[in-house]
Amino acid sequence: MATAVREVKHHMVGGDTSAAGRFGDIFNPNTGQVQARVPLGTSADLDRAVAAAVKAQVGWAATNPQRRARVMFNYKALIEANMEELAHLLSSEHGKVIADSKGDIQRGLEVVEFACGIPHALKGEFTQGAGPGIDVFSMRQPLGVVAGITPFNFPGMIPMWMFGVAVAVGNAFILKPSERDPSVPVRLGELMVEAGAPEGILQVVHGDKEMVDAILDHPDIKAVSFVGSSDIAQYVYSRGVAAGKRVQAMGGAKNHGIVMPDADLDQVVNDLCGAAFGSAGERCMALPVVVPVGEDTADRLRAKLIPAIEALRVGISTDKEAHYGPVVTAAHKAKIEGYIQMGVDEGAELVVDGRGFKLQGHEEGFFVGPTLFDHVKPEMTTYQEEIFGPVLQIVRAPSFEEAVRLPSDHPYGNGVAIFTRNGHAAREFAQRVNVGMVGINVPIPVPVAYHSFGGWKRSAFGDTNQHGMEGVRFFTKVKTVTQRWPDGSALPRGAEDGGPARINDAFVIPTMG
């Protein structure tokens, strides 16, 4: 019997249905069936959301930081209380296993926890006596209405990375999540109102390119944060900046794991299986390229990898024993399998082939088995481009110098890891590699919430990273005040005899020395 298809609504003040009547399908990746539909909004939908945001933001910005922090404390508690619901909802639309979904939400929650301390983060600078009777101080103020455009692969974490900080500092936030798995973002918006934030402070609008362009062009949206593919990130950055907005646009990745001859290979294999195949490889910080240094290291690593990969369990999202679940759509499955065939055509050795994987009872699900290539060369397209699936490539390096060069020269520069027992090698690598985030014996070096996240080269466009103090700086503007309070008992110069002060005195800039 066919399952009823539900509709995911906009979460916004002033209307929750699209005037255009266009909808997108939301699939259950485990079954391949359409389970819901989402309205693809218009600029009119965005206008209503922005109007509500502008109205709500004035009072929210005037709310003292401690009271805003209390709302974030309430929000944190509500997310924790609703963790099971959020994780199951996320898995049902994305396909990642429940444990991964909980991790997705937890890493976003850590930024909310950071935002609970926003009064401290908003403190400005103060100089007493910068000049005779003159003090100088700075304050951070919200931008107004800001927006976030987020990808399908982390529908809980990445939105919270953005709005957790943006809302806490006093902005109103409009979120445009991926139309592939939008239900968790809507639920996050509902919980923010339940936590005590005014309606209009966090709104969710759905859509495709039409909505993205409307956000980038809207004159009342002052900043846009984006995460997605590099080509779209560059487009978002260019169009947003041209419209006079602040933009941070995080793009794709091709993260490398360097394996030195002295590394603990059992630990490396365990780390690689999680980092390359966890969440079906649909992570911008996945580790899809492993670079063993020396032929002996490569041969030993390969011998250990093959049985470990073959032992991985692919299952439905609710299978507690599964290491990973399906990919998000049939189109994405076809794209991944196309890259596997391309690797074969380019001359790489296909050691483990994940194509054609079928899960009994879920034959129509979007499953791709774990795949391993060896003898991949840097000039191959499959090495240069992001596959974003459960595919691990071995690129053999003859020396440490080559191992530093490979990720440094790659067009992407999101993350990199080195596995070694040698502290000098690790230190040298971390200093020299041309990549934004480095792990030393850490396969997925995503920084904790009070630091910041951001890559280099085509992995990021813009000057500011996400969350932590970088996020605070991105979503605020600095106002600097220079003040002087004359002694109230003293008369203005020139007025001692009751005459007027000399008007020219007002045009003289006081010296600070």
Side-chain angles (χ1 to χ4, degrees), residues 139-320:
M139 60 181 80
R140 288 199 167 270
Q141 296 184 324
L143 302 178
V145 179
V146 298
I149 302 167
T150 56
F152 76 86
N153 60 321
F154 283 96
M157 179 184 78
I158 294 177
M160 283 189 275
W161 277 10
M162 297 177 184
F163 72 68
V165 175
V167 167
V169 300
N171 296 295
F173 192 93
I174 294 173
L175 172 64
K176 204 301 284 185
S178 170
E179 60 272 29
R180 298 178 187 177
D181 48 8
S183 293
V184 165
V186 169
R187 190 75 184 101
L188 292 175
E190 293 170 349
L191 290 174
M192 183 64 79
V193 175
E194 189 175 339
E199 288 192 356
I201 289 301
L202 176 59
Q203 299 179 83
V204 181
V205 296
H206 305 300
D208 50 15
K209 185 178 184 296
E210 180 179 345
M211 181 60 79
V212 170
D213 287 346
I215 289 171
L216 296 174
D217 296 341
H218 202 292
D220 289 332
I221 294 175
K222 305 304 181 184
V224 176
S225 183
F226 171 87
V227 175
S229 68
S230 288
D231 288 345
I232 305 302
Q234 187 169 18
Y235 170 82
V236 166
Y237 180 76
S238 299
R239 185 159 178 160
V241 169
K245 304 184 191 311
R246 284 188 184 180
V247 182
Q248 54 178 196
M250 306 299 165
K254 194 76 172 188
N255 306 319
H256 294 57
I258 312 305
V259 182
M260 297 297 289
D262 66 336
D264 180 344
L265 291 189
D266 291 330
Q267 183 63 52
V268 169
V269 168
N270 184 67
D271 287 345
L272 285 174
C273 284
F277 302 109
S279 197
E282 295 172 318
R283 296 170 173 158
C284 67
M285 287 297 285
L287 203 61
V289 177
V290 58
V291 182
V293 177
E295 289 296 323
D296 178 66
T297 307
D299 290 341
R300 291 187 293 120
L301 178 65
R302 170 177 165 151
K304 288 178 177 290
L305 267 174
I306 293 172
I309 291 172
E310 291 176 339
L312 291 174
R313 180 184 175 106
V314 182
I316 60 173
S317 301
T318 53
D319 181 355
K320 294 181 179 180

Side-chain angles (χ1 to χ4, degrees), residues 89-155:
L89 185 58
L90 195 159
S91 289
S92 72
E93 292 183 352
H94 177 280
K96 64 177 72 177
V97 297
I98 299 295
D100 257 347
S101 291
K102 289 181 177 179
D104 181 329
I105 297 161
Q106 179 62 39
R107 289 310 297 264
L109 181 61
E110 289 168 7
V111 174
V112 173
E113 290 173 339
F114 168 79
C116 291
I118 208 66
H120 178 76
L122 284 176
K123 290 191 302 184
E125 298 174 319
F126 186 91
T127 299
Q128 183 177 13
I134 296 174
D135 302 326
V136 180
F137 65 92
S138 65
M139 60 181 80
R140 288 199 167 270
Q141 296 184 324
L143 302 178
V145 179
V146 298
I149 302 167
T150 56
F152 76 86
N153 60 321
F154 283 96

Side-chain angles (χ1 to χ4, degrees), residues 62-73:
T63 303
N64 73 57
Q66 188 169 353
R67 291 184 181 274
R68 293 200 302 263
R70 288 172 186 163
V71 172
M72 302 311 290
F73 271 109

